[in-house]
Amino acid sequence: MKKRFNVLLLLASAFAFGQLTPNEFDYFVQFNGSQFSEKISLDEILNHDAIKKISKTDKDFNIKDYTSLIDMNKNISIHGNFTDSITFYQITIPIRNRDEVKALFMKNIKQNHQEITDSVKKDIVDYDTYSVYNASNSSISTAWNDDYLIILEFIKPTMRNDSYSQFYDVSPIYDEEAVEVVEAEDSDEYVVEEYVEEEEYVEEESLEVPPAPVEEEIEWAIETDDSYEYDYDSYDNEYLKEIEEADLKRKEMQNQHINFLFKNGFTPPVSEKINPKADISSWVNYQSSFNYLKTLTGVIKSIFSRNSNINDDRILKNYIKGVNFNFYFENDNARIEQSVEYSSSLAEIMNKVVNRKINNNIFNYFPNENPLGYMTYHINSKELLTNFPAITEQLYSVSNPYLEQEDMEIITDLISTFIDEEAISTLFDGDVTMFLHDFQKYESTYTTYEYDENYEEVEVEKTISKTIPVFTTLFTSTHKTMGNKLFDLGVRKGVLIQRNGYYEVKGADKEMGNLKFIKKGDVVVFTNGMNYITNGSNSDFSRDLKKDLKKNYMKGSVNLKDLIIKYVSNEDLGKDTTKMLKVSQQFEKIDFKSSKKIENNKHSMEMSLHSSNDDKNIILQTLDLIEFLSNKK
């Protein structure tokens, strides 16, 4: 065990060079302090009434004691690895003063201990250029110098199939008596004697029936050794002692790493994956996430180890590399940008899938006025089906250890044989759009049974009011015959009723209003709001959306303000009505879109929350709303 521990100390020093090789981090989150502080100060957030209420819940905790030490003109970061030889995380915080940090820790120690003993004082160790705090009741180590404070922890692994996990295998070991197995001596020859049955002659006169056996009671004596007693307390104490020793050794490893970081001056970690223009930027390595899941349990690890051909090269070549999330907080909106980085081979395929020329016939059924919400999605279904075998091979082969490259080629050939990409893609070309137009009160009549005064069952007709959404869903299909045949089938089976220019869904009016299908040319429409999509192609909404769809393959929006007001006016929400109306007054809408372009193998998506006001940062506006909702009961 000591040998393993010494090796791990060397590994700790080795992985510390991750500070100089930032691309090896499995995840990295950075709060860009200088960028963020230009928009809103930390004091504005902490002095908000909503935050004050949170801090008052714990009288011994004052958040300002901690935040006053932070230098918000520098960056705060969280990074770590979960696939390295040692799993760890590190939080890096810029500070204003080294002595004030120590004073805060001493204050906390004093609150948690009635008496500051020498052993408690040893939790904080001062070196020339930095200080270290190792709380006896915590597994983390905290270190700081004049400029930065870090919180570091080497996470105890759950795996049991490598040397590092065995180092932490502290299950109690019970001695068992050795059982000697005596093997028979080998003989050169094995003689089989033939058995000859001898005939025995018995005279008939001398044959006598023996008397029935007499059952005798036999007493079984069980010898027990009462002198042996199992000492559970001893083994429990040994188990706890080994856990304590393992924790201390992990703390020692952390201190070794801290010494490496601070002895020649601390350099804050950086990553080229981080966007310095965002308020908050983050990166997650999908390949490392996959490897971590692959080795999460001993069972999964043993399965993957059966195939020696499963290696990281296949993942690097065929998998999604990672994802970026960038957050921006302005006065009138909050924005999230997501960027997925594909492998080069997958990016080439996805570029063909999302780059589709929209069927213009679909715009003929766009609404004639702005809807409450919509989402429109346009992909090249033919390219998706054509490249489906390649996508299957690239993604699935990585996650299945039993499939070799040759196995996947057989599967993809079978898929290509059974799938007629040209024919299937005409059933659904790739254009699909959904609209939410309105909410309407709808009276529904139903029949129930009750008992009269004579206790006889009688039929009673009742009417209830429902609030139903008015919506439209439409998609394009260029198949010459399948659409009409399906509608004819619905008519023959009594599900649809054919009207003048449309098909009505039989019996749907009781739940969802007057549902109708329209099939005109390449466009199929499913709606219960026919009057909202008449002559919609010439509306301002349709023209603006056409322009956006030239650059984006997916776009959507939810008008929060009008949606909430419409819903509240048709539905009695009781005490929650005031809260809902307040939300509608605070926030305008949510927009989201995804570009057709894939640049440098990266595909982006953006989502924005728009505020109705711009007099203060949207973070403060959100806190205002939280405070209002918490006061309403």
Side-chain angles (χ1 to χ4, degrees), residues 418-621:
F418 289 120
I419 293 180
D420 186 346
E421 298 90 352
E422 187 73 34
I424 295 178
S425 63
T426 59
L427 292 175
F428 171 64
D429 292 355
D431 300 309
V432 58
T433 307
M434 293 169 282
F435 299 105
L436 176 63
H437 305 289
D438 202 350
F439 291 100
Q440 289 183 351
K441 277 278 189 179
Y442 187 79
E443 290 189 350
S444 176
T445 302
Y446 66 98
T447 301
T448 184
Y449 295 91
E450 296 180 354
Y451 293 95
D452 60 13
E453 56 186 11
N454 297 323
Y455 300 101
E456 294 182 359
E457 190 177 65
V458 294
E459 188 177 282
V460 179
E461 189 175 85
K462 291 187 176 182
T463 302
I464 60 172
S465 296
K466 294 182 178 180
T467 300
I468 62 171
V470 182
F471 67 92
T472 296
T473 300
L474 47 98
F475 62 92
T476 55
S477 175
T478 55
H479 198 284
K480 295 180 180 179
T481 59
M482 182 60 72
N484 293 328
K485 288 182 178 180
L486 289 175
F487 286 122
D488 291 341
L489 176 64
V491 173
R492 288 188 284 108
K493 297 299 182 181
V495 178
L496 300 177
I497 301 173
Q498 188 170 6
R499 304 292 188 187
N500 186 19
Y502 63 89
Y503 297 87
E504 184 178 324
V505 181
K506 188 176 181 180
D509 56 332
K510 294 182 179 180
E511 296 295 333
M512 293 299 295
N514 192 7
L515 288 176
K516 299 175 182 178
F517 278 104
I518 303 172
K519 174 70 168 69
K520 189 172 182 180
D522 302 337
V523 184
V524 179
V525 183
F526 178 54
T527 183
N528 63 353
M530 182 73 77
N531 56 314
Y532 288 90
I533 57 175
T534 304
N535 299 322
S537 60
N538 297 321
S539 66
D540 293 338
F541 168 77
S542 297
R543 284 194 293 267
D544 292 340
L545 189 53
K546 283 181 185 179
K547 294 179 182 178
D548 290 334
L549 291 176
K550 290 180 180 179
K551 298 180 180 179
N552 302 290
Y553 84 97
M554 186 269 289
K555 194 171 189 308
S557 180
V558 178
N559 189 329
L560 291 174
K561 185 175 184 178
D562 293 343
L563 186 148
I564 293 173
I565 292 174
K566 286 276 188 180
Y567 186 76
V568 169
S569 62
N570 286 281
E571 189 77 9
D572 184 11
L573 299 179
K575 295 180 180 179
D576 292 331
T577 301
T578 305
K579 295 181 179 180
M580 295 296 291
L581 291 175
K582 180 62 177 179
V583 174
S584 70
Q585 295 169 6
Q586 189 72 57
F587 297 115
E588 189 84 20
K589 62 180 179 177
I590 296 175
D591 289 331
F592 51 92
K593 62 183 178 180
S594 186
S595 175
K596 286 184 176 180
K597 292 184 178 180
I598 297 179
E599 298 179 348
N600 298 322
N601 299 334
K602 295 180 180 180
H603 195 195
S604 62
M605 189 183 81
E606 180 181 312
M607 179 178 291
S608 301
L609 172 64
H610 297 268
S611 174
S612 301
N613 307 302
D614 60 359
D615 57 336
K616 62 177 71 173
N617 190 275
I618 196 168
I619 295 177
L620 297 177
Q621 295 184 45

Side-chain angles (χ1 to χ4, degrees), residues 305-495:
S305 63
R306 294 174 187 172
N307 192 331
S308 59
N309 293 326
I310 298 298
N311 53 55
D312 292 340
D313 293 337
R314 291 176 64 183
I315 301 174
L316 291 170
K317 180 180 177 181
N318 300 324
Y319 211 55
I320 296 174
K321 291 183 177 296
V323 61
N324 272 107
F325 288 99
N326 297 315
F327 299 83
Y328 303 83
F329 302 97
E330 311 294 345
N331 277 22
D332 58 348
N333 75 85
R335 189 171 80 256
I336 302 174
E337 292 179 356
Q338 174 190 291
S339 178
V340 178
E341 184 176 350
Y342 299 114
S343 63
S344 57
S345 56
L346 190 56
E348 183 179 354
I349 295 174
M350 294 304 298
N351 190 48
K352 296 176 182 178
V353 171
V354 300
N355 193 10
R356 167 179 170 77
K357 184 178 180 180
I358 300 173
N359 189 330
N360 287 324
N361 292 328
I362 200 171
F363 295 112
N364 294 330
Y365 294 93
F366 271 36
N368 45 43
E369 58 184 45
N370 291 347
L372 298 177
Y374 72 90
M375 190 194 80
T376 183
Y377 191 81
H378 307 273
I379 62 170
N380 193 322
S381 59
K382 182 179 178 181
E383 287 290 345
L384 179 63
L385 291 169
T386 301
N387 290 282
F388 182 75
I391 296 174
T392 303
E393 191 277 331
Q394 290 185 31
L395 296 182
Y396 186 70
S397 63
V398 177
S399 60
N400 196 313
Y402 295 104
L403 295 178
E404 304 282 354
Q405 183 70 26
E406 293 79 7
D407 301 332
M408 286 307 305
E409 289 177 357
I410 296 174
I411 294 174
T412 54
D413 286 345
L414 286 173
I415 294 174
S416 299
T417 302
F418 289 120
I419 293 180
D420 186 346
E421 298 90 352
E422 187 73 34
I424 295 178
S425 63
T426 59
L427 292 175
F428 171 64
D429 292 355
D431 300 309
V432 58
T433 307
M434 293 169 282
F435 299 105
L436 176 63
H437 305 289
D438 202 350
F439 291 100
Q440 289 183 351
K441 277 278 189 179
Y442 187 79
E443 290 189 350
S444 176
T445 302
Y446 66 98
T447 301
T448 184
Y449 295 91
E450 296 180 354
Y451 293 95
D452 60 13
E453 56 186 11
N454 297 323
Y455 300 101
E456 294 182 359
E457 190 177 65
V458 294
E459 188 177 282
V460 179
E461 189 175 85
K462 291 187 176 182
T463 302
I464 60 172
S465 296
K466 294 182 178 180
T467 300
I468 62 171
V470 182
F471 67 92
T472 296
T473 300
L474 47 98
F475 62 92
T476 55
S477 175
T478 55
H479 198 284
K480 295 180 180 179
T481 59
M482 182 60 72
N484 293 328
K485 288 182 178 180
L486 289 175
F487 286 122
D488 291 341
L489 176 64
V491 173
R492 288 188 284 108
K493 297 299 182 181
V495 178

Side-chain angles (χ1 to χ4, degrees), residues 47-273:
N47 289 325
H48 196 281
D49 290 339
I51 300 298
K52 289 180 179 178
K53 288 182 180 179
I54 297 174
S55 61
K56 286 181 180 179
T57 57
D58 188 350
K59 295 181 180 180
D60 296 330
F61 177 77
N62 188 352
I63 192 171
K64 288 187 177 181
D65 289 344
Y66 296 86
T67 56
S68 61
L69 303 175
I70 301 175
D71 184 359
M72 285 301 298
N73 293 318
K74 297 179 182 178
N75 300 331
I76 301 172
S77 66
I78 304 171
H79 74 279
N81 283 351
F82 38 71
T83 56
D84 207 340
S85 57
I86 300 177
T87 304
F88 80 101
Y89 71 86
Q90 177 181 317
I91 303 173
T92 304
I93 303 172
I95 60 174
R96 300 179 185 275
N97 186 284
R98 176 181 175 181
D99 294 333
E100 290 180 0
V101 173
K102 181 178 180 180
L104 178 61
F105 282 129
M106 291 300 297
K107 176 183 176 182
N108 292 337
I109 292 173
K110 187 174 182 180
Q111 289 177 348
N112 297 327
H113 296 80
Q114 294 181 354
E115 182 180 356
I116 304 297
T117 61
D118 292 337
S119 60
V120 173
K121 290 181 180 179
K122 290 180 181 179
D123 290 347
I124 297 180
V125 180
D126 291 319
Y127 298 95
D128 292 339
T129 58
Y130 68 97
S131 301
V132 180
Y133 174 42
N134 286 298
S136 57
N137 59 348
S138 175
S139 60
I140 67 173
S141 297
T142 306
W144 65 97
N145 62 5
D146 293 331
D147 300 311
Y148 287 94
L149 176 146
I150 70 166
I151 300 172
L152 176 69
E153 181 179 7
F154 291 170
I155 301 172
K156 179 179 178 180
T158 56
M159 292 296 300
R160 307 177 75 87
N161 291 339
D162 56 21
S163 59
Y164 183 47
S165 60
Q166 290 173 8
F167 170 71
Y168 287 112
D169 187 2
V170 293
S171 301
I173 301 174
Y174 302 100
D175 295 331
E176 297 180 359
E177 294 183 359
V179 179
E180 183 178 358
V181 179
V182 181
E183 297 181 357
E185 295 182 357
D186 296 335
S187 58
D188 295 336
E189 296 182 359
Y190 184 74
V191 180
V192 179
E193 297 181 356
E194 184 178 357
Y195 174 75
V196 180
E197 184 177 358
E198 297 181 358
E199 295 183 359
E200 182 178 358
Y201 177 76
V202 182
E203 294 183 359
E204 184 176 353
E205 291 79 1
S206 62
L207 185 63
E208 295 182 359
V209 178
V214 179
E215 296 183 359
E216 298 181 359
E217 294 184 359
I218 302 175
E219 295 183 359
W220 298 92
I222 301 176
E223 296 182 0
T224 60
D225 185 5
D226 295 333
S227 61
Y228 178 78
E229 292 184 1
Y230 194 83
D231 190 355
Y232 289 98
D233 292 337
S234 175
Y235 284 111
D236 287 343
N237 293 334
E238 181 182 352
Y239 174 69
L240 295 175
K241 183 179 180 181
E242 291 183 357
I243 290 179
E244 183 179 357
E245 290 176 355
D247 291 340
L248 290 175
K249 290 175 180 178
R250 191 164 69 252
K251 277 283 188 71
E252 185 176 347
M253 292 169 61
Q254 292 171 186
N255 290 330
Q256 289 279 346
H257 182 55
I258 288 171
N259 178 61
F260 174 84
L261 292 176
F262 282 93
K263 65 180 180 180
N264 294 322
F266 180 79
T267 302
V270 295
S271 173
E272 64 180 16
K273 301 291 186 180

